[in-house]
């Protein structure tokens, strides 16, 4: 089945630790996105990538890093510089940068 | 940060009522306006992609209109059903491919 997967479903981070959230798609989409959702708020764009080996900062990129070495993968690292990482993280992809986005199931990150 | 606003924040209606929500967005650098439906415990799913001023789209009982000159889009649901209960999100897409979502309108339809 074609789709977009995220792992893990839940992730726990200790103080000062970097953690990486996985996002994989087999839809052959060029564009991929990372969003963060906090309670009572909508989706805020962290990073997006329109093509392999290229990515741009979204509205809340500080404390996060990404890579796009393969078309199907767009991992997000939450660094120790992100002081308030507890949130729900959604990954999405689209066939091109302007098209409908397809979302993964999300990862909930909690701080121990 | 672009300002995309949705109203109302939440809405409670009776089964059979018709309802509508608003998405307001900047009138510059517009490329597209997306509507998504997000049900609890599921991922957001696309409803409509709207690109042209005056666009009207329809899917079953749900329809949407777009006014890019004044920067707003309306989503209408005719004869609401309990299964329409969800959060409805709009996303403003710039011609550079950047997406900005509103905070959503949460609809609850009571049987």
């Amino acid at each position: 089945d074609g789709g977009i997967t995220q792992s893990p479903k839940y992730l726990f981070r200790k103080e000062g630790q970097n953690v990486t959230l996985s996002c994989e798609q087999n839809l052959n989409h060029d564009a991929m996105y990372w969003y963060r959702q906090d309670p009572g708020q909508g989706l805020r764009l962290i990073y997006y990538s329109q093509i392999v080996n290229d990515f741009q900062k979204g509205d809340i990129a500080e404390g996060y890093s990404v890579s796009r070495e393969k078309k199907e993968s767009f991992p997000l690292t939450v660094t120790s510089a992100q002081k308030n990482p507890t949130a729900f993280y959604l990954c999405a992809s689209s066939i091109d940068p302007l098209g409908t986005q397809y979302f993964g199931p999300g990862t909930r990150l909690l701080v121990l | 940060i672009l300002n995309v606003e949705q109203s109302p924040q939440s809405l409670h209606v009776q089964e059979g009522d018709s309802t509508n929500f608003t998405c307001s967005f900047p009138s510059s650098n517009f490329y597209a306006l997306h509507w998504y439906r997000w049900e609890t415990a599921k991922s957001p799913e696309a409803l409509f992609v709207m690109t042209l001023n005056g666009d009207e789209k329809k899917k079953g009982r749900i329809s949407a209109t777009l006014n890019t000159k004044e920067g707003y889009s309306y989503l209408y649901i005719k004869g609401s059903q309990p299964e329409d209960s969800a959060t409805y999100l709009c996303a403003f897409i710039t011609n550079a491919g950047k997406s900005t979502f509103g905070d959503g309108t949460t609809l609850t339809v009571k049987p």
Side-chain angles (χ1 to χ4, degrees):
Chain A
D1 281 12
I4 181 164
T5 58
Q6 291 185 241
S7 61
K9 188 173 182 179
Y10 295 96
L11 187 58
F12 298 91
R13 191 190 94 162
K14 294 180 181 178
E15 292 287 340
Q17 186 182 45
N18 293 354
V19 291
T20 297
L21 284 62
S22 169
C23 177
E24 304 277 331
Q25 54 97 1
N26 60 5
L27 300 168
N28 200 33
H29 285 174
D30 281 324
M32 296 187 74
Y33 312 81
W34 273 106
Y35 296 96
R36 168 180 172 141
Q37 190 202 25
D38 292 284
Q41 296 190 33
L43 302 177
R44 291 186 290 167
L45 184 64
I46 304 173
Y47 270 97
Y48 62 111
S49 168
Q50 300 185 358
I51 200 166
V52 175
N53 293 321
D54 185 46
F55 50 83
Q56 289 81 38
K57 292 182 179 180
D59 294 322
I60 55 166
E62 186 174 349
Y64 300 97
S65 65
V66 293
S67 62
R68 187 85 188 277
E69 297 176 1
K70 298 187 294 182
K71 187 175 187 178
E72 58 269 23
S73 178
F74 191 39
L76 173 74
T77 296
V78 184
T79 75
S80 57
Q82 172 50 246
K83 298 305 179 189
N84 185 22
T86 297
F88 184 64
Y89 291 86
L90 271 174
C91 179
S93 69
S94 60
I95 194 163
D96 60 52
L98 304 168
T100 299
Q101 295 180 26
Y102 295 82
F103 288 84
T107 293
R108 190 166 297 279
L109 177 61
L110 301 165
V111 177
L112 295 176
Chain B
I1 297 179
L2 298 172
N3 194 25
V4 178
E5 295 187 350
Q6 292 189 246
S7 62
Q9 186 176 10
S10 64
L11 200 53
H12 296 255
V13 302
Q14 291 294 135
E15 183 175 354
D17 287 351
S18 293
T19 186
N20 65 86
F21 330 131
T22 304
C23 174
S24 301
F25 51 85
S27 53
S28 59
N29 296 324
F30 175 89
Y31 182 82
L33 194 285
H34 296 178
W35 280 101
Y36 293 86
R37 168 193 165 96
W38 194 359
E39 292 181 74
T40 302
K42 294 186 178 180
S43 302
E45 291 185 343
L47 287 172
F48 302 114
V49 174
M50 310 182 79
T51 56
L52 298 175
N53 185 44
D55 245 357
E56 292 188 22
K57 300 271 179 145
K58 187 174 181 182
K59 184 184 291 187
R61 295 178 291 99
I62 304 177
S63 60
T65 61
L66 179 69
N67 184 324
T68 59
K69 292 183 179 178
E70 296 182 36
Y72 64 84
S73 176
Y74 294 140
L75 187 79
Y76 300 93
I77 301 179
K78 184 177 178 182
S80 302
Q81 300 297 309
E83 57 265 31
D84 295 329
S85 297
T87 296
Y88 292 83
L89 298 169
C90 67
F92 173 79
I93 314 297
T94 70
N95 47 21
K98 183 181 176 186
S99 50
T100 302
F101 278 78
D103 285 346
T105 293
T106 299
L107 174 67
T108 304
V109 182
K110 301 174 185 175

